[in-house]
Amino acid sequence: ALAVAQDALALCKGQESEADCLNLLAVINIRLADYEQAAKYAKLCYEMDEKSGDPDMMSSSLNTLAAIYMAAKQPKEAEQYILKGIEQAEKANNPVRMATLQAMASEVYHSMGDDRKALSYIEKAYELDKASGNHEKVMVRLVEKASVLLGLHDYKQAEETLSKVIPELRQSTNRHSLGIVLNKMGMALFSQQRVDKAVPYYQEAAEIFQEQGDPISR
């Protein structure tokens, strides 16, 4: 994929599709865990989007940059890009993009240990996705919200949030996500000293991870 994308970039120089090639190369390098190269391509993509004056495209490339620095475990560096991205998404009036950026901002602040800010951003993302009728994303936002609530030690609220998601995941084929959510529910219950209730969730999560050959997921 990397070789083909590099060939494509050489053919796209000076064309509108050059930014698409740069973005693709950034994403491929994220998958390869080469974050330095990923950031290089993403910054070039952002420069082109900035020249175009399109706030929607700028918000997209800024979100990619934030994702790269999050993957590289540099949330402080990611913060500047995600906040600029939110500004551009506001100008673009794109609620779908804005929900994605707000969720990324929540992840950034959660990683930085500022769960109050993280909660504010994930609630905004949830409301935007709910308003757009994107049910699948709403479920994702609830899981993300539960993670932040666990960080805030608001275990009761985390339990209530996860209880909305678990029935949905039981009906889906996404067993890995179900395992992660069951594990979080176990944590929420255990932290309330409700050990008897927590154990079955932990056991079911462990069984799912074992059947998938993934014993360390959380």
Side-chain angles (χ1 to χ4, degrees):
L2 180 63
V4 173
Q6 287 170 334
D7 289 345
L9 178 63
L11 295 169
C12 291
K13 287 289 185 183
Q15 300 180 42
E16 289 183 9
S17 53
E18 184 177 355
D20 293 333
C21 290
L22 290 167
N23 183 66
L24 179 59
L25 281 161
V27 172
I28 291 169
N29 278 283
I30 292 173
R31 299 287 178 87
L32 293 171
D34 189 341
Y35 304 121
E36 185 177 349
Q37 280 293 98
K40 182 189 82 172
Y41 285 118
K43 286 174 181 176
L44 289 170
C45 180
Y46 173 65
E47 287 173 10
M48 292 197 71
D49 290 336
E50 193 173 28
K51 286 177 184 176
S52 76
D54 185 334
D56 194 39
M57 294 305 297
M58 279 188 272
S59 67
S60 177
S61 52
L62 286 163
N63 185 61
T64 300
L65 274 164
I68 290 165
Y69 284 105
M70 285 299 292
K73 303 188 186 308
Q74 298 179 46
K76 188 61 184 174
E77 191 71 20
E79 181 186 19
Q80 61 174 312
Y81 294 112
I82 202 62
L83 294 179
K84 285 174 68 176
I86 288 171
E87 287 179 14
Q88 294 303 320
E90 286 173 348
K91 294 177 184 177
N93 193 27
N94 183 338
V96 175
R97 180 92 67 202
M98 179 61 82
T100 300
L101 288 157
Q102 296 281 359
M104 176 63 77
S106 177
E107 186 180 345
V108 168
Y109 286 112
H110 182 50
S111 295
M112 292 169 65
D114 191 343
D115 282 317
R116 287 293 170 197
K117 271 189 179 179
L119 183 61
S120 172
Y121 281 106
I122 200 59
E123 285 179 337
K124 290 173 187 174
Y126 169 79
E127 292 299 333
L128 286 165
D129 283 323
K130 187 178 179 181
S132 69
N134 192 333
H135 182 70
E136 188 174 330
K137 282 291 186 184
V138 166
M139 292 296 106
V140 171
R141 302 306 175 220
L142 286 173
V143 176
E144 292 168 338
K145 180 179 178 179
S147 295
V148 173
L149 289 166
L150 288 171
L152 288 166
H153 309 297
D154 191 345
Y155 304 120
K156 184 63 177 174
Q157 189 64 38
E159 176 193 351
E160 291 174 5
T161 302
L162 291 167
S163 67
K164 298 174 185 176
V165 181
I166 289 173
E168 297 272 345
L169 282 174
R170 287 197 189 283
Q171 295 177 21
S172 78
T173 57
N174 193 342
R175 296 277 291 162
H176 189 263
S177 291
L178 174 61
I180 291 171
V181 171
L182 290 168
N183 206 38
K184 289 181 187 294
M185 179 63 97
M187 187 186 303
L189 292 165
F190 182 79
S191 299
Q192 296 177 68
Q193 286 78 52
R194 293 161 63 193
V195 178
D196 289 347
K197 293 283 188 182
V199 168
Y201 286 101
Y202 279 133
Q203 287 178 331
E204 188 179 355
E207 288 168 8
I208 290 171
F209 297 142
Q210 188 172 27
E211 75 185 27
Q212 295 192 333
D214 182 9
I216 60 171
S217 285
R218 295 179 181 176

